[in-house]
Amino acid sequence: MRKDELTSEELFLKEGDNSAKLPLVDVHDSVMQAIGLGNGRLAVKPVPHQQEGDIPDIMHRVEPATYAKRCRKRMWSRPVRRWAAVLILVVLVGGSYSLFKESPWQAAKFQYEVLPYEPLLATKEGGTIEVSKNPLVPSKVKIPQRVATKEEELLSEKNLEAYRVVEKLLLPGEGASYVLKKEGAGDERPQLGRVIPAMLFNDYSSYLAKAEEYKAPYLPRPEYLPEGYVFDQAWIQPDFEVNENELLALTDGIKLEGGYRVMWKKEPTARINYEYSSMRYKKGESMVRINAKHIKAKTGTVESLLRTNTTNVENILVNGTQLIYTETTNIEIKLGYRYRLVWTDPEQNVVYDMTAAPESSALTKEEVIRIAADMMK
């Protein structure tokens, strides 16, 4: 065999045999004959030119090694270029940034953008919702708890008794206002009160039906919830303005022990409004509460949000709507929640408020933002 017919391994073996001055034996042909391939040498057949519509009967490698290396280099360089572009974008937009999240429970992409804090427009007239300029701080001086006098305790007990007496006279959904007087009290200011129990619902469909009936602020049910959280309860809180002059003009009433008398009147249905809705989702002791209410004030600061000196405050842009996001980790001052998210609908004069409690809630920032985002669709 000629050297140009041998592989590199065969040349290596032959050179080793020559160095040992051993006789050379060509077994290539005999081996090929034994396995049924004859004496011919294997050669690479040329690839015939394919006509349109022909299907080759063998597979041929068409990607040169150098091309594959270039592809691999480009594939590795793409993520680097993408991250470089993101960093440049962060610098250009002045500190805001976007995050993509993919939940293990839902495969859809979730995106939100973090922006510097600024007040939210709450009404068409220019009313705003702002974070309080003065944070809550723990008092360095222990303030002694005020002890109520016996007269104050008695008045509080009689006020509760008056409430229960009037409540028993009402049908479900009815409301009443009352005034509590003590006979012979002279110029002592009477106690005004109202009886208007909340409408409670143990399932979302019942809440939705009543919210539509009474035109209460509508709370859409979020399709996304963190694992383990389930619907617990919803309620609508009716309300009305107490007309003090009408109550003080009443002369008849129900006599209570101790020289007290309660005068009351049922409120007309037309005067009862339904400005507040709420629903709650729970997982063990952890819960998420979502509220919606109509805004009464139209201008100025219509609501001020509490914060401590360690509260993180920022704006979040999600689904085209901005919300105020606060996260509090101060263990000295208990706000009753860890996360709070507030957003508005200025066209409807409605403000939405979501809190995650207790303050030790295991929910993440992305999870609470996604709940709110799901309600904005």
Side-chain angles (χ1 to χ4, degrees):
M1 295 177 59
R2 299 192 309 272
K3 285 188 177 183
D4 59 357
E5 295 179 339
L6 299 177
T7 65
S8 59
E9 291 81 2
E10 289 172 332
L11 283 172
F12 175 78
L13 292 174
K14 282 182 176 293
E15 289 174 359
D17 293 341
N18 290 334
S19 65
K21 296 182 180 180
L22 297 174
L24 300 178
V25 179
D26 187 355
V27 297
H28 188 281
D29 291 338
S30 60
V31 172
M32 297 298 286
Q33 182 71 30
I35 63 176
L37 295 178
N39 296 327
R41 302 286 176 178
L42 291 177
V44 178
K45 295 182 180 180
V47 180
H49 179 71
Q50 297 292 327
Q51 300 295 326
E52 184 177 0
D54 291 346
I55 301 176
D57 55 356
I58 58 173
M59 292 185 294
H60 302 283
R61 182 176 180 84
V62 295
E63 179 186 312
T66 55
Y67 175 78
K69 290 180 180 178
R70 288 198 300 270
C71 287
R72 285 194 291 271
K73 288 181 180 179
R74 285 198 296 269
M75 289 174 65
W76 281 105
S77 64
R78 285 173 187 164
V80 176
R81 289 201 298 268
R82 281 198 296 268
W83 279 109
V86 171
L87 292 175
I88 293 172
L89 180 61
V90 169
V91 174
L92 291 177
V93 298
S96 66
Y97 59 92
S98 298
L99 290 179
F100 279 98
K101 289 292 175 181
E102 185 168 354
S103 166
W105 305 287
Q106 290 188 357
K109 293 291 183 180
F110 169 56
Q111 182 186 25
Y112 65 88
E113 186 176 359
V114 179
L115 303 171
Y117 161 73
E118 62 179 3
L120 293 182
L121 181 66
T123 67
K124 293 182 292 185
E125 293 79 8
T128 60
I129 292 181
E130 303 181 4
V131 174
S132 174
K133 294 179 175 63
N134 301 314
L136 298 175
V137 294
S139 175
K140 296 181 179 180
V141 179
K142 187 174 182 180
I143 301 175
Q145 185 175 1
R146 181 180 178 278
V147 179
T149 64
K150 290 183 178 180
E151 290 77 10
E152 289 173 335
E153 290 181 348
L154 177 60
L155 183 60
S156 179
E157 291 175 2
K158 289 301 176 182
N159 194 27
L160 179 59
E161 183 180 354
Y163 180 96
R164 290 173 176 171
V165 166
V166 174
E167 185 181 31
K168 291 179 181 178
L169 300 174
L170 299 177
L171 297 175
E174 292 182 335
S177 55
Y178 66 88
V179 58
L180 177 67
K181 292 182 179 180
K182 185 176 182 180
E183 297 174 347
D187 295 334
E188 183 177 335
R189 186 172 179 80
Q191 299 292 308
L192 303 178
R194 75 189 76 192
V195 181
I196 188 76
M199 305 168 65
L200 302 179
F201 310 94
N202 293 321
D203 61 274
Y204 180 79
S205 58
S206 298
Y207 154 75
L208 182 59
K210 288 298 181 182
E212 292 176 349
E213 178 181 350
Y214 293 109
K215 296 179 174 55
Y218 166 62
L219 282 169
R221 186 173 188 173
E223 295 179 3
Y224 166 79
L225 285 170
E227 187 175 18
Y229 281 82
V230 295
F231 178 87
D232 179 56
Q233 196 174 56
W235 56 96
I236 298 173
Q237 181 61 63
D239 197 10
F240 57 85
E241 296 292 334
V242 174
N243 191 318
E244 184 175 353
N245 293 330
E246 288 183 2
L247 288 176
L248 295 179
L250 298 174
T251 56
D252 197 8
I254 303 171
K255 189 174 181 179
L256 305 178
E257 293 182 359
Y260 286 88
R261 182 177 294 273
V262 55
M263 281 77 70
W264 69 283
K265 71 182 191 69
K266 188 182 299 184
E267 292 294 331
T269 304
R271 291 185 57 181
I272 299 177
N273 54 63
Y274 303 85
E275 306 287 353
Y276 183 86
S277 290
S278 185
M279 61 183 177
R280 183 173 61 200
Y281 293 85
K282 294 185 71 174
K283 177 185 178 182
E285 296 300 318
S286 216
M287 65 179 172
V288 174
R289 179 168 171 172
I290 310 165
N291 312 309
K293 64 180 179 182
H294 286 125
I295 303 170
K296 294 182 179 179
K298 304 300 182 183
T299 59
T301 302
V302 299
E303 187 167 349
S304 182
L305 308 180
L306 297 178
R307 68 180 178 94
T308 71
N309 54 4
T310 62
T311 298
N312 177 42
V313 181
E314 57 195 20
N315 281 33
I316 302 293
L317 178 62
V318 60
N319 289 343
T321 301
Q322 280 201 46
L323 57 83
I324 293 178
Y325 165 87
T326 62
E327 180 178 352
T328 301
T329 56
N330 193 317
I331 60 175
E332 296 182 276
I333 301 177
K334 303 292 185 181
L335 296 179
Y337 53 83
R338 179 179 178 183
Y339 304 104
R340 186 177 186 182
L341 295 87
V342 178
W343 66 99
T344 65
D345 183 349
E347 295 297 322
Q348 301 296 326
N349 288 337
V350 174
V351 58
Y352 298 90
D353 185 331
M354 187 177 80
T355 56
E359 292 166 315
S360 59
S361 171
L363 290 172
T364 66
K365 175 181 180 179
E366 286 72 27
E367 287 173 328
V368 293
I369 293 176
R370 184 159 186 176
I371 297 173
D374 204 52
M375 299 183 66
M376 296 177 187
K377 295 177 180 177

